[in-house]
Amino acid sequence: MAGCSSAAVDDLSTVPLVALNMTVRKQLSLYLNPRTMVAADWTMVAEAMGFSYLEITNYQTVPNPTERVLNDWQACSTEASVGNLLSILEKVERKDVVEDLRPLMEEDVKKYHESLKKRAIRPLQVPEVDSCIPRTPERSGLTLEDDPDGSPELFDAFICYCKSDITFVHEMIRELEQTDYRLKLCVFDRNVLPGSCVWTITSELIERRGDNNASLLRFLFLDFSSYGFHCGDYVCRCKRMVVVISDEYIESDACDFQTKFALSLSPGARNKRLIPVVYKSMTKQFPRILSFLTACDYTNPYTKTWFWERLAKALSLP
C-alpha cells in the first residue's frame, strides 16, 4: 500500500484513539457501517478488536455501530491506538479506507501532539500559592477525615449529583467502596462537614482557575448550592469527577453552568477526568456539551454487566 509502511504504523501505535476527531470517525462509519459481500464491514473490525460474538450481535441494534465500537474500544482496551486501528483495517483488507483516511488521521495526530505540548507549558507557580493547599484554618477541616495539622483528605472521585439521585449514589458507594475495588468517593452529603463556608471554597477555586469573571461566578456558585448540586474545592482533592445525569439534572436551572464548570476541569477529556453516568431512562436529551465524552450507561441491559467494572477501572487510573 502506498505511503503506509509498517514502521509508520508502529510510530502511531502509541497515539491513543482519542486523537481522532469527529470528521475521521464519521468517515470511518460511512465506510464500515454498510453490510456488503465484497468488503469487510464494522463486524470484522470489531472482531479483530477483540469483541465477542454476543457483543457484536448487540451492536447491530444501534444506529451507528462503527461509532459505538470505536467508543467502547477506546474506553475498555489499552490497545486502542491510531496505529492499531490502521493495522486492523489492513488485516481485514480495507486498504482503501487506510489510503483515503490516513492523511486525515495523521493530521489529527499532529494536532493532538501540538495540543499536548501546549498543555505541558504551565505558568510558574510556587507551592505557597497552590490553591489545593489550605490557606486558612477553616479550609483545613472540610471533610470527615481531614487532618487539621496535616494533609487534606484525598479521594479517587468526586460524585456530582442532584439531590433526587441520592439513591443511586448509595448504590455507587456499595459497588465501588464496599467491594474489592476499594475506591474512595467524595459524596458531599456524607463526607463534607456541616458549617463549611461555600463562598470560601468556591472563591479559592475561582482564583486558582484565574477566571476573569470571578465576581459573576462567585454569585453563580453561591446560588448553585441551593439547587442541590455539589461541586467546589473538593475537586482539587479528587483524581476524577463522576457526573450523574438524569432528567432532574437536565431540568435544573444550574445545569448549563454545572456542565460547563465540570468540563473546565478536564479540557479535551484529558486523562479521563470527567465521567458522565446515566443510571435511569431519560425523556430529556443528553447534554450536548457532554456528548463527546464516553458515558457509562446503566440503562442498557446488554452492557449493564460491565458497568461497574468499566467505571471502577476508569476511576482507578493514575
Side-chain angles (χ1 to χ4, degrees), residues 228-240:
F229 292 91
H230 306 293
C231 297
D233 171 72
Y234 312 105
V235 179
C236 280
R237 305 173 177 216
C238 304
K239 292 192 298 182
R240 285 173 176 80

Side-chain angles (χ1 to χ4, degrees), residues 21 26 57 59 65 94 160 165 179 185 194 209 224 246 290:
N21 65 22
K26 288 180 179 178
T57 301
Y59 286 136
R94 289 307 302 264
C160 193
D165 299 320
T179 60
L185 309 179
R209 292 175 55 194
F224 187 65
S246 64
L290 295 176

Side-chain angles (χ1 to χ4, degrees), residues 150-261:
S151 301
E153 185 178 9
L154 302 179
F155 302 87
D156 292 300
F158 179 86
I159 311 302
C160 193
Y161 60 96
C162 183
K163 283 283 190 179
S164 60
D165 299 320
I166 188 66
T167 301
F168 180 70
V169 175
H170 278 278
E171 186 173 357
M172 292 183 69
I173 293 173
R174 290 193 299 270
E175 294 292 339
L176 299 176
E177 289 191 337
Q178 301 171 8
T179 60
D180 291 338
Y181 298 125
R182 298 188 180 280
L183 295 170
K184 188 172 183 179
L185 309 179
C186 181
V187 178
F188 193 95
D189 291 301
R190 179 191 66 171
N191 296 98
V192 179
L193 296 176
S196 299
C197 179
V198 176
W199 188 91
T200 300
I201 296 168
T202 55
S203 64
E204 288 284 345
L205 178 63
I206 293 168
E207 183 178 0
R208 177 177 69 89
R209 292 175 55 194
D211 199 309
N212 294 327
N213 297 317
S215 298
L216 173 61
L217 289 177
R218 286 191 181 98
F219 172 77
L220 288 173
F221 265 113
L222 289 173
D223 276 355
F224 187 65
S225 61
S226 67
Y227 287 104
F229 292 91
H230 306 293
C231 297
D233 171 72
Y234 312 105
V235 179
C236 280
R237 305 173 177 216
C238 304
K239 292 192 298 182
R240 285 173 176 80
M241 182 174 182
V242 176
V243 181
V244 180
I245 308 295
S246 64
D247 281 340
E248 292 78 7
Y249 174 94
I250 300 298
E251 293 171 355
S252 168
D253 292 335
C255 176
D256 182 62
F257 176 77
Q258 199 279 337
T259 51
K260 290 178 180 177
F261 166 73

